[in-house]
Short mmCIF file of all heavy atoms in Angstrom, two decimals:
data_model
loop_
_atom_site.label_atom_id
_atom_site.label_comp_id
_atom_site.label_asym_id
_atom_site.label_seq_id
_atom_site.Cartn_x
_atom_site.Cartn_y
_atom_site.Cartn_z
N ARG A 69 -4.88 11.94 15.56
CA ARG A 69 -6.24 12.40 15.25
C ARG A 69 -7.23 11.87 16.27
O ARG A 69 -8.11 12.59 16.73
CB ARG A 69 -6.65 11.91 13.85
CG ARG A 69 -6.15 12.76 12.72
CD ARG A 69 -6.99 12.55 11.46
NE ARG A 69 -7.00 11.18 11.02
CZ ARG A 69 -6.06 10.62 10.27
NH1 ARG A 69 -5.04 11.33 9.88
NH2 ARG A 69 -6.14 9.37 9.89
N ARG A 70 -7.04 10.59 16.62
CA ARG A 70 -7.99 9.99 17.56
C ARG A 70 -7.86 10.65 18.94
O ARG A 70 -8.85 10.96 19.59
CB ARG A 70 -7.70 8.49 17.67
CG ARG A 70 -8.73 7.78 18.49
CD ARG A 70 -8.51 6.31 18.46
NE ARG A 70 -8.89 5.72 17.19
CZ ARG A 70 -9.14 4.44 17.01
NH1 ARG A 70 -9.03 3.60 18.00
NH2 ARG A 70 -9.49 3.98 15.83
N GLN A 71 -6.60 10.88 19.37
CA GLN A 71 -6.41 11.52 20.68
C GLN A 71 -6.98 12.92 20.69
O GLN A 71 -7.60 13.35 21.66
CB GLN A 71 -4.92 11.53 21.03
CG GLN A 71 -4.42 10.16 21.45
CD GLN A 71 -2.93 10.11 21.62
OE1 GLN A 71 -2.20 10.98 21.13
NE2 GLN A 71 -2.44 9.08 22.30
N LYS A 72 -6.77 13.64 19.60
CA LYS A 72 -7.27 15.01 19.53
C LYS A 72 -8.80 15.02 19.54
O LYS A 72 -9.42 15.86 20.18
CB LYS A 72 -6.73 15.70 18.27
CG LYS A 72 -6.96 17.19 18.29
CD LYS A 72 -6.12 17.89 17.26
CE LYS A 72 -6.34 19.40 17.34
NZ LYS A 72 -5.61 20.11 16.31
N ALA A 73 -9.38 14.04 18.83
CA ALA A 73 -10.85 13.95 18.81
C ALA A 73 -11.38 13.70 20.21
O ALA A 73 -12.39 14.26 20.63
CB ALA A 73 -11.28 12.84 17.86
N ARG A 74 -10.66 12.84 20.97
CA ARG A 74 -11.09 12.57 22.35
C ARG A 74 -10.99 13.83 23.20
O ARG A 74 -11.87 14.14 23.99
CB ARG A 74 -10.19 11.49 22.97
CG ARG A 74 -10.62 10.10 22.57
CD ARG A 74 -9.83 9.09 23.37
NE ARG A 74 -10.03 7.76 22.80
CZ ARG A 74 -9.10 6.83 22.73
NH1 ARG A 74 -7.91 7.06 23.19
NH2 ARG A 74 -9.37 5.66 22.22
N ARG A 75 -9.87 14.56 23.02
CA ARG A 75 -9.69 15.80 23.81
C ARG A 75 -10.80 16.78 23.49
O ARG A 75 -11.39 17.38 24.37
CB ARG A 75 -8.32 16.42 23.48
CG ARG A 75 -7.18 15.85 24.26
CD ARG A 75 -6.00 16.83 24.26
NE ARG A 75 -5.56 17.19 22.93
CZ ARG A 75 -4.69 16.50 22.22
NH1 ARG A 75 -4.17 15.40 22.69
NH2 ARG A 75 -4.34 16.91 21.03
N LEU A 76 -11.10 16.91 22.19
CA LEU A 76 -12.14 17.85 21.78
C LEU A 76 -13.49 17.44 22.37
O LEU A 76 -14.27 18.27 22.80
CB LEU A 76 -12.23 17.90 20.26
CG LEU A 76 -11.12 18.67 19.56
CD1 LEU A 76 -11.23 18.49 18.06
CD2 LEU A 76 -11.19 20.14 19.92
N HIS A 77 -13.73 16.12 22.41
CA HIS A 77 -14.98 15.63 22.96
C HIS A 77 -15.09 16.01 24.43
O HIS A 77 -16.09 16.51 24.91
CB HIS A 77 -15.04 14.12 22.80
CG HIS A 77 -16.29 13.51 23.33
ND1 HIS A 77 -17.50 13.65 22.69
CD2 HIS A 77 -16.54 12.78 24.46
CE1 HIS A 77 -18.43 13.02 23.40
NE2 HIS A 77 -17.86 12.49 24.47
N TRP A 78 -13.98 15.79 25.18
CA TRP A 78 -13.97 16.09 26.62
C TRP A 78 -14.12 17.59 26.83
O TRP A 78 -14.90 18.04 27.65
CB TRP A 78 -12.65 15.58 27.22
CG TRP A 78 -12.61 15.70 28.71
CD1 TRP A 78 -13.09 14.82 29.62
CD2 TRP A 78 -12.07 16.80 29.45
NE1 TRP A 78 -12.89 15.29 30.88
CE2 TRP A 78 -12.27 16.51 30.82
CE3 TRP A 78 -11.45 18.01 29.11
CZ2 TRP A 78 -11.85 17.38 31.83
CZ3 TRP A 78 -11.05 18.87 30.13
CH2 TRP A 78 -11.25 18.54 31.47
N VAL A 79 -13.35 18.36 26.08
CA VAL A 79 -13.42 19.82 26.20
C VAL A 79 -14.83 20.30 25.85
O VAL A 79 -15.40 21.16 26.52
CB VAL A 79 -12.36 20.49 25.29
CG1 VAL A 79 -12.60 21.98 25.19
CG2 VAL A 79 -10.97 20.22 25.82
N GLY A 80 -15.39 19.69 24.83
CA GLY A 80 -16.73 20.09 24.40
C GLY A 80 -17.76 19.84 25.50
O GLY A 80 -18.60 20.69 25.78
N ALA A 81 -17.66 18.64 26.12
CA ALA A 81 -18.63 18.31 27.17
C ALA A 81 -18.48 19.25 28.36
O ALA A 81 -19.47 19.76 28.90
CB ALA A 81 -18.42 16.86 27.61
N THR A 82 -17.24 19.52 28.77
CA THR A 82 -17.01 20.41 29.91
C THR A 82 -17.47 21.82 29.57
O THR A 82 -18.10 22.50 30.39
CB THR A 82 -15.50 20.42 30.24
OG1 THR A 82 -15.06 19.09 30.35
CG2 THR A 82 -15.24 21.15 31.53
N SER A 83 -17.15 22.24 28.35
CA SER A 83 -17.54 23.60 27.94
C SER A 83 -19.06 23.76 27.95
O SER A 83 -19.57 24.81 28.34
CB SER A 83 -17.03 23.89 26.53
OG SER A 83 -15.65 23.75 26.50
N ALA A 84 -19.74 22.69 27.56
CA ALA A 84 -21.20 22.77 27.52
C ALA A 84 -21.77 22.99 28.92
O ALA A 84 -22.68 23.81 29.12
CB ALA A 84 -21.77 21.50 26.91
N LEU A 85 -21.21 22.28 29.90
CA LEU A 85 -21.67 22.44 31.28
C LEU A 85 -21.39 23.85 31.79
O LEU A 85 -22.24 24.51 32.39
CB LEU A 85 -20.98 21.42 32.19
CG LEU A 85 -21.49 19.98 32.08
CD1 LEU A 85 -20.63 19.05 32.92
CD2 LEU A 85 -22.94 19.91 32.56
N LEU A 86 -20.15 24.31 31.53
CA LEU A 86 -19.79 25.65 31.98
C LEU A 86 -20.64 26.70 31.30
O LEU A 86 -21.11 27.67 31.92
CB LEU A 86 -18.30 25.92 31.67
CG LEU A 86 -17.31 25.23 32.61
CD1 LEU A 86 -15.90 25.44 32.09
CD2 LEU A 86 -17.44 25.79 34.03
N ALA A 87 -20.83 26.48 30.00
CA ALA A 87 -21.62 27.46 29.24
C ALA A 87 -23.05 27.53 29.78
O ALA A 87 -23.62 28.62 29.92
CB ALA A 87 -21.64 27.09 27.77
N ALA A 88 -23.60 26.36 30.13
CA ALA A 88 -24.97 26.35 30.66
C ALA A 88 -25.04 27.12 31.97
O ALA A 88 -25.99 27.89 32.22
CB ALA A 88 -25.42 24.90 30.87
N ALA A 89 -23.98 26.94 32.82
CA ALA A 89 -23.97 27.65 34.11
C ALA A 89 -23.82 29.15 33.90
O ALA A 89 -24.50 29.96 34.54
CB ALA A 89 -22.82 27.11 34.96
N CYS A 90 -22.90 29.50 33.00
CA CYS A 90 -22.64 30.92 32.77
C CYS A 90 -23.83 31.62 32.12
O CYS A 90 -24.07 32.81 32.33
CB CYS A 90 -21.41 31.10 31.89
SG CYS A 90 -19.90 30.61 32.72
N LEU A 91 -24.55 30.83 31.34
CA LEU A 91 -25.67 31.41 30.61
C LEU A 91 -26.68 32.05 31.55
O LEU A 91 -27.28 33.08 31.25
CB LEU A 91 -26.34 30.31 29.77
CG LEU A 91 -27.36 30.77 28.74
CD1 LEU A 91 -26.66 31.62 27.68
CD2 LEU A 91 -28.02 29.58 28.08
N LEU A 92 -26.82 31.40 32.71
CA LEU A 92 -27.78 31.94 33.68
C LEU A 92 -27.37 33.33 34.15
O LEU A 92 -28.21 34.17 34.46
CB LEU A 92 -27.86 30.99 34.90
CG LEU A 92 -28.43 29.60 34.59
CD1 LEU A 92 -28.30 28.70 35.80
CD2 LEU A 92 -29.90 29.72 34.19
N LEU A 93 -26.04 33.56 34.24
CA LEU A 93 -25.55 34.83 34.75
C LEU A 93 -25.26 35.84 33.65
O LEU A 93 -25.44 37.05 33.83
CB LEU A 93 -24.26 34.61 35.55
CG LEU A 93 -24.41 33.69 36.78
CD1 LEU A 93 -23.02 33.40 37.37
CD2 LEU A 93 -25.28 34.36 37.83
N LEU A 94 -24.78 35.34 32.54
CA LEU A 94 -24.26 36.26 31.53
C LEU A 94 -25.08 36.28 30.25
O LEU A 94 -24.58 36.64 29.20
CB LEU A 94 -22.80 35.89 31.19
CG LEU A 94 -21.85 35.85 32.37
CD1 LEU A 94 -20.51 35.30 31.93
CD2 LEU A 94 -21.68 37.25 32.94
#
Side-chain angles (χ1 to χ4, degrees):
Chain A
R69 278 201 302 277
R70 187 174 286 199
Q71 285 172 343
K72 193 164 182 184
R74 278 188 192 144
R75 276 201 304 274
L76 285 173
H77 180 72
W78 186 85
V79 169
T82 309
S83 302
L85 285 174
L86 284 173
C90 292
L91 192 64
L92 295 172
L93 300 172
L94 303 173

